[in-house]
Amino acid sequence: MARVLSVMFVASLLLMILGICRASRVGVCYGRNADDLPTPEKAVQLIQMHNIKYVRIYDSNIQVLKAFANTGIELMVGIPNSDLLSFSQFQSNANTWLKNSILPYYPATKITYITVGAELTEAPNSTSALVVSAMQNVLTALKKAGLHKRIKVSSTHSLGVLSRSFPPSAGAFNSRHAFFLKPMLEFLAENQSPFMIDLYPYYAYRDSTTNVSLDYAIFEASSEVIDPNTGLLYTNMFDAQLDAINYALMALNFKTINIMVTETGWPSKGSPKETAATPDNAQTYNTNLIRHVINDTGTPAKPGAAVDVYVFSLFNENRKPGLESERNWGLFFPDQTSVYNLDFTGKGVVDMPAGGNTTGSNGTWCIASPSASEPDLQNALSWACGSGNVDCSAIQPSQPCFEPDNLASHASYAFNNYYQQNGATDIACSFGGVGVRTNKNPSYDNCLYATAGGKKAIASNTTATPSKTSSSSPQRSYRWTQHLLMAFPLFLLVPF
């Protein structure tokens, strides 16, 4: 008996260690509240080209689920607030939804999370009261299908779920939400599901510029903020907001529940009064965020702890109501060009945009990696000559760059055209890891590779013309910012 208990203890310890050591992940939110977006198939190609492995969607749209099939991308699927009544009333409704909307596409489409409802603290109490029973019914349906250990069930929240967020150690859940929050936390703990939170330092800065510095909001602070209760030092608002949730969970003795950030980001454009909504600030925030997360920095209260983060959003969404910033959270325009360059690996050096697309490669070119597999090269080449809007006419038969007629040569030409036309940055040569930069000009004979300024390959004998080949994310609430701003007193700022 003692030996059995010893084995169980060691196994539990190993599981705990593995949980602590798990690497953080960065994904993207794919909202579709727009009338000018590319097809889901093209959106998935774009996601793959940027090596994004984790995606959140806000419904269970069949076309979208099919587009993600056999990609290996892990998908978070959403059940909107409008469906909570039917899901909570009858188990059969959850069973039918799972049978019709999930099982036909799983496991080809790698669904790993189901979010039941979104930001319910901003919804009427009558809706909030439905969420836990709806979650339970979805879980029961998953158990019947034998998928409850592979697909986790949770719900997302805004920071309005807290009554207090400063200092972080005083973080506390609002008692007004206890009627649904307490049973939800018990559900999450019992089923080892994460607490999902949407964090937006942008709103806290925008609505309290006198108390919150821009540098602190975008991970660029040259000073620290002290939590007077713990003495912990904070260098950015994201960590402070995240630790406020950590402490709120600990205060209710839910220490084992992991936190997942299901939305965060920064808008690239806003109304005249939204002066911080710029491409530079958006790029700085998201670049620093990704590096912070990928490095498994953790937070001052939980150093080294892994946290998964989803950047909002893949595209600008032109049908979203509200201020101008609401329609400009995207990493990409609907035509699939970048709003600004962003490296999802957290390792590359990203150039800051300056008045639109930049040019100038400083004597570098982009070619196919010698170690790349043919399937990966083919996918990247197809994307570059299609959605990437590269002129691939020069690699057609009888054209100057057709020979040598092999995949690596053709991909190199297309990769370089895209690279030069999109600022000659690290990310513009990524192609999902199959592109590499070189200082050696790959031009040969009459095949001239593009150089700084976006010149295309030319040759005297060329005659060919260039070849061409809803549900939505919820509007983020502003209301919580009026009473939950991380309003750090100036006397707490301490220089490094």
Side-chain angles (χ1 to χ4, degrees), residues 129-242:
L130 305 172
V131 65
V132 177
S133 57
M135 291 169 66
Q136 187 61 59
N137 286 345
V138 171
L139 177 64
T140 300
L142 286 169
K143 286 182 176 179
K144 290 180 179 178
L147 296 177
H148 60 290
K149 293 185 178 180
R150 298 184 180 182
I151 302 176
K152 294 296 182 180
V153 178
S154 189
S155 183
T156 68
H157 306 273
S158 75
L159 203 59
V161 73
L162 298 182
S163 61
R164 187 175 182 182
S165 58
F166 180 79
S169 59
F173 290 113
N174 194 318
S175 60
R176 292 191 298 109
H177 307 311
F179 71 97
F180 79 88
L181 193 57
K182 187 176 186 298
M184 179 185 289
L185 293 175
E186 292 170 349
F187 174 97
L188 298 180
E190 180 181 351
N191 296 287
Q192 298 180 326
S193 293
F195 182 88
M196 296 179 168
I197 185 74
D198 300 341
L199 296 181
Y200 285 100
Y202 168 76
Y203 288 129
Y205 168 74
R206 186 198 66 181
D207 294 343
S208 188
T209 56
T210 57
N211 291 318
V212 179
S213 75
L214 177 61
D215 286 346
Y216 187 75
I218 61 175
F219 296 88
E220 293 279 304
S222 58
S223 57
E224 295 172 321
V225 173
I226 299 177
D227 185 318
N229 297 331
T230 62
L232 294 176
L233 303 178
Y234 288 85
T235 60
N236 64 82
M237 179 173 289
F238 178 86
D239 281 353
Q241 291 182 334
L242 192 55

Side-chain angles (χ1 to χ4, degrees), residues 31-92:
R32 306 193 318 282
N33 194 356
D35 56 20
D36 56 355
L37 297 182
T39 64
E41 291 76 15
K42 288 187 176 180
V44 170
Q45 287 179 357
L46 181 68
I47 289 168
Q48 288 179 299
M49 287 310 307
H50 289 270
N51 207 30
I52 299 168
K53 302 296 185 182
Y54 310 94
V55 174
R56 177 189 177 188
I57 62 174
Y58 295 84
D59 58 9
S60 54
N61 180 278
I62 292 175
Q63 189 180 5
V64 174
L65 293 180
K66 286 182 177 180
F68 280 97
N70 303 311
T71 62
I73 295 169
E74 294 190 15
L75 201 62
M76 181 186 298
V77 173
I79 296 173
N81 293 350
S82 57
D83 289 343
L84 292 184
L85 179 60
S86 64
F87 275 74
S88 65
Q89 282 185 323
F90 301 104
Q91 179 63 55
S92 59

Side-chain angles (χ1 to χ4, degrees), residues 394-395 399-405 409-410 413 441-449:
I395 56 175
Q399 298 307 312
C401 299
F402 178 71
E403 297 291 347
D405 181 14
S409 178
H410 292 176
Y413 175 86
N441 190 338
S443 301
Y444 59 92
D445 299 333
N446 289 327
C447 180
L448 305 181
Y449 274 57

Side-chain angles (χ1 to χ4, degrees), residues 46 50 314 330-333 335-342 353 356-357 383 418 422 425 427-428:
L46 181 68
H50 289 270
L314 185 63
L331 306 177
F332 298 93
F333 294 108
D335 66 1
Q336 302 177 70
T337 58
S338 299
V339 177
Y340 48 86
N341 292 312
L342 187 64
N357 289 338
W383 182 87
Y418 181 87
N422 288 274
T425 61
I427 192 61

Side-chain angles (χ1 to χ4, degrees), residues 351-494:
D351 297 333
M352 299 298 288
N357 289 338
T358 58
T359 58
S361 58
N362 295 321
T364 61
W365 294 262
C366 179
I367 60 174
S369 170
S371 62
S373 67
E374 286 202 359
D376 287 343
L377 276 181
Q378 185 60 64
N379 288 336
L381 175 61
S382 298
W383 182 87
C385 295
S387 301
N389 295 317
V390 169
D391 178 2
C392 293
S393 58
I395 56 175
Q396 302 303 313
S398 303
Q399 298 307 312
C401 299
F402 178 71
E403 297 291 347
D405 181 14
N406 62 61
L407 188 56
S409 178
H410 292 176
S412 292
Y413 175 86
F415 289 1
N416 186 66
N417 262 8
Y418 181 87
Y419 172 70
Q420 303 295 348
Q421 292 168 15
N422 288 274
T425 61
D426 285 354
I427 192 61
C429 189
S430 172
F431 294 97
V434 300
V436 295
R437 296 208 293 183
T438 179
N439 294 321
K440 183 179 179 181
N441 190 338
S443 301
Y444 59 92
D445 299 333
N446 289 327
C447 180
L448 305 181
Y449 274 57
T451 55
K455 278 179 68 176
K456 298 178 181 177
I458 56 172
S460 59
N461 65 340
T462 182
T463 58
T465 56
S467 58
K468 296 285 182 183
T469 59
S470 186
S471 63
S472 63
S473 58
Q475 181 182 6
R476 286 162 303 287
S477 170
Y478 305 124
R479 289 196 292 265
W480 65 265
T481 63
Q482 296 173 6
H483 61 279
L484 284 171
L485 293 175
M486 303 294 291
F488 301 108
L490 295 180
F491 67 82
L492 290 175
L493 292 177
V494 179

Side-chain angles (χ1 to χ4, degrees), residues 231-270:
L232 294 176
L233 303 178
Y234 288 85
T235 60
N236 64 82
M237 179 173 289
F238 178 86
D239 281 353
Q241 291 182 334
L242 192 55
D243 268 352
I245 298 293
N246 275 319
Y247 280 107
L249 288 170
M250 287 189 283
L252 296 180
N253 203 29
F254 288 102
K255 301 178 182 180
T256 61
I257 297 178
N258 292 324
I259 299 174
M260 177 182 289
V261 180
T262 41
E263 283 186 15
T264 190
W266 199 278
S268 61
K269 184 180 178 182

